[in-house]
Every structure is written in structure tokens, then in C-alpha cells.
């Protein structure tokens, strides 16, 4: 009985020491991982883009005469997205560090799926947007053409309404904007 109690006591002590060492080892590995991750200098690409574009940005969207309703909605979406993604201030042209001019060059809808009757029920909206940005401080102007897409389904109606069309174009343009921000950030590295 005494021997069994002694064995259980030894096992418990060894287990407790093992648990403490394992805990210390896991904490050390976690700390080492964090130090390596922070120490490598990782920064999000939006941070690099913000350095290139500056704190104050002027956004201009060239109005497409064929589709003026989209262009107005597009300007609002782009302005909001640039302010949110880059944490920049949208200002007047004279006060800005950079000027971004966006123009919707192409909008195309493709049918991806049809219902049993043959009407399209699932679409893809493809857009091509030309972004021109000018950094006033560096006196540098660059032009990028970026593509974006958005897949969406129509409910039971299989009719592509104006509101669904505008929403699809806006989402696709925001994806093209992500490509523009990434391109600007990569160029600053």
C-alpha cells in the first residue's frame, strides 16, 4: 500500500514537472514566433500604398456619358473605399498629396448558369478600370488598368434589374481598386 502511494506520488510529481516544462516551452515557442513575425518588418500592402499616395488624396471619376448613373455611384464607392482602406483624407485637388483619376473603361456581363427554361440565373460582371495617379511630391504619374469581377445570382425572376446591375458593377470596381492599391504598394517596395 505504501509502495503504491509512493509510486502515485512520484508519477504525480513527474507529471507536474512535465506540464510546467511543456508550458514554458510552448510560451517560449509562441514568443519566438511573435518576435520573428514582428521582427521581419512585415507591413500590410495598404501601408506601403499609403506611403506612396500620402495622407491627402483627391479622387476624380471620369463620367461615362453612356452610363452616367453608374459613374456617380462609382465615385461615392471609390471615395469611401480609398478613405477606409488607406485611412487617408479625401481633400480638394489643390490641398492633396496625390490625385487618383478613375475611369470605367469596360463593363461586361456573362451568363454563368441558366434555369430549366433557359433564362440566365447566375451572372458574372467583369469590369476594366483605368486608374491614373499622380504623386505631387515625387512629380510622378502612373497609369494602371485593373480588372475586377463579381459573381451574383438573380432570384426567381431571372431579370437583371438596374439595382442588381449597379451593385454588381460597384463590387467589381472595388475589387479592381484592391488590385490598384496592391500595385501601388508593390511599386514602393
Amino acid at each position: 500500500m505504501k509502495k503504491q502511494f509512493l509510486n502515485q506520488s512520484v508519477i504525480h510529481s513527474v507529471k507536474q514537472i512535465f506540464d510546467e516544462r511543456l508550458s514554458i516551452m510552448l510560451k517560449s515557442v509562441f514568443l519566438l514566433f511573435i518576435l520573428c513575425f514582428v521582427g521581419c518588418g512585415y507591413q500590410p500592402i495598404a501601408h506601403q500604398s499609403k506611403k506612396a499616395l500620402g495622407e491627402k488624396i483627391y479622387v476624380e471619376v471620369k463620367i461615362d456619358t453612356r452610363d452616367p448613373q453608374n459613374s456617380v455611384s462609382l465615385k461615392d464607392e471609390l471615395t469611401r473605399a480609398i478613405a477606409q482602406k488607406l485611412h487617408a483624407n479625401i481633400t480638394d485637388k489643390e490641398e492633396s498629396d496625390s490625385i487618383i483619376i478613375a475611369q470605367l473603361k469596360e463593363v461586361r456581363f456573362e451568363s454563368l448558369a441558366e434555369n430549366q427554361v433557359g433564362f440566365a440565373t447566375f451572372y458574372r460582371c467583369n469590369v476594366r478600370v483605368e486608374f491614373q495617379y499622380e504623386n505631387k511630391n515625387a512629380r510622378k504619374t502612373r497609369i494602371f488598368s485593373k480588372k475586377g469581377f463579381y459573381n451574383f445570382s438573380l432570384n426567381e425572376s431571372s431579370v437583371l434589374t438596374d439595382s442588381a446591375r449597379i451593385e454588381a458593377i460597384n463590387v467589381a470596381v472595388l475589387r479592381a481598386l484592391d488590385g490598384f492599391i496592391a500595385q501601388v504598394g508593390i511599386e514602393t517596395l
Side-chain angles (χ1 to χ4, degrees):
M1 184 99 155
K2 205 174 199 186
K3 190 174 181 182
Q4 186 179 16
F5 177 74
L6 187 60
N7 285 341
Q8 285 180 348
S9 175
V10 170
I11 291 173
H12 180 70
S13 297
V14 168
K15 186 177 179 187
Q16 189 175 13
I17 292 170
F18 179 75
D19 286 345
E20 288 174 10
R21 287 191 179 169
L22 182 64
S23 175
I24 291 171
M25 189 169 67
L26 286 175
K27 288 177 185 176
S28 299
V29 168
F30 179 73
L31 182 63
L32 183 64
F33 174 75
I34 294 296
L35 286 176
C36 287
F37 190 67
V38 172
C40 73
Y42 170 78
Q43 293 177 335
I45 200 73
H47 181 75
Q48 295 298 326
S49 298
K50 185 176 178 179
K51 273 202 262 184
L53 295 171
E55 291 286 329
K56 300 180 217 160
I57 299 173
Y58 172 74
V59 178
E60 178 182 329
V61 175
K62 290 189 177 178
I63 303 295
D64 185 1
T65 55
R66 296 172 300 191
D67 197 5
Q69 183 182 10
N70 256 358
S71 297
V72 171
S73 173
L74 183 65
K75 179 172 176 49
D76 293 341
E77 288 292 324
L78 280 176
T79 302
R80 186 178 311 114
I82 288 171
Q84 286 176 350
K85 293 178 187 221
L86 298 176
H87 304 288
N89 297 321
I90 306 300
T91 63
D92 294 332
K93 198 171 195 175
E94 296 78 30
E95 298 173 12
S96 65
D97 299 326
S98 304
I99 299 170
I100 298 175
I101 301 170
Q103 184 174 13
L104 192 57
K105 290 289 191 177
E106 180 184 358
V107 177
R108 199 174 72 247
F109 286 88
E110 304 173 18
S111 171
L112 297 177
E114 298 172 349
N115 62 13
Q116 293 174 344
V117 183
F119 291 112
T121 56
F122 202 74
Y123 282 94
R124 171 176 277 179
C125 174
N126 292 300
V127 298
R128 187 172 54 87
V129 183
E130 183 179 276
F131 292 97
Q132 175 182 337
Y133 88 92
E134 175 187 342
N135 186 319
K136 288 183 173 180
N137 299 332
R139 298 183 189 265
K140 180 178 168 181
T141 301
R142 294 292 313 227
I143 297 174
F144 299 110
S145 183
K146 292 293 174 189
K147 294 180 180 179
F149 72 92
Y150 177 61
N151 297 333
F152 63 101
S153 67
L154 299 175
N155 293 334
E156 312 257 334
S157 69
S158 75
V159 175
L160 184 58
T161 63
D162 281 344
S163 62
R165 185 178 163 279
I166 289 170
E167 180 185 350
I169 292 171
N170 285 342
V171 172
V173 167
L174 291 178
R175 290 184 177 173
L177 175 67
D178 289 341
F180 167 72
I181 290 172
Q183 186 74 39
V184 171
I186 289 169
E187 281 201 346
T188 62
L189 294 176

